[in-house]
Amino acid sequence: MRGRPGGCPTAALAEFVNALKTGTSRRLRTIFAQKLAGVYSKPVLWSRSYCVLSCGGAPLEIIKQYIQQQDRPDD
């Protein structure tokens, strides 16, 4: 995704996420074709959903700390 002068994106976020998921799915399926063939039979790798969050300009260290303090689901 290329930006316009001033840093504004030229593609909608949904289009970017779709392109990212499509590209990574194709690449992963090519690289790991033999391993995936025996355990994964679905025609898609990713779900259609995605989530976008804003951190309001918080420093990266604060975001990392927040994530690390979250409860983890039971395995």
Side-chain angles (χ1 to χ4, degrees):
M1 179 169 82
R2 296 186 181 261
R4 293 182 186 139
C8 298
T10 58
L13 186 57
E15 293 171 358
F16 171 76
V17 171
N18 185 51
L20 177 68
K21 290 168 79 173
T22 299
T24 56
S25 178
R26 286 181 183 159
R27 185 158 173 97
L28 290 171
R29 287 180 166 283
T30 299
I31 294 170
F32 299 105
Q34 290 180 341
K35 290 183 180 183
L36 288 172
V39 295
Y40 197 78
S41 60
K42 294 182 179 181
V44 295
L45 187 61
W46 307 118
S47 72
R48 294 185 63 183
S49 62
Y50 65 93
C51 176
V52 177
L53 305 172
S54 171
C55 61
L60 186 56
E61 285 304 315
I62 298 297
I63 296 168
K64 285 181 184 179
Q65 186 179 48
Y66 173 79
I67 292 169
Q68 290 169 349
Q69 291 175 352
Q70 300 302 299
D71 290 333
R72 297 179 187 266
D74 296 332
D75 290 331

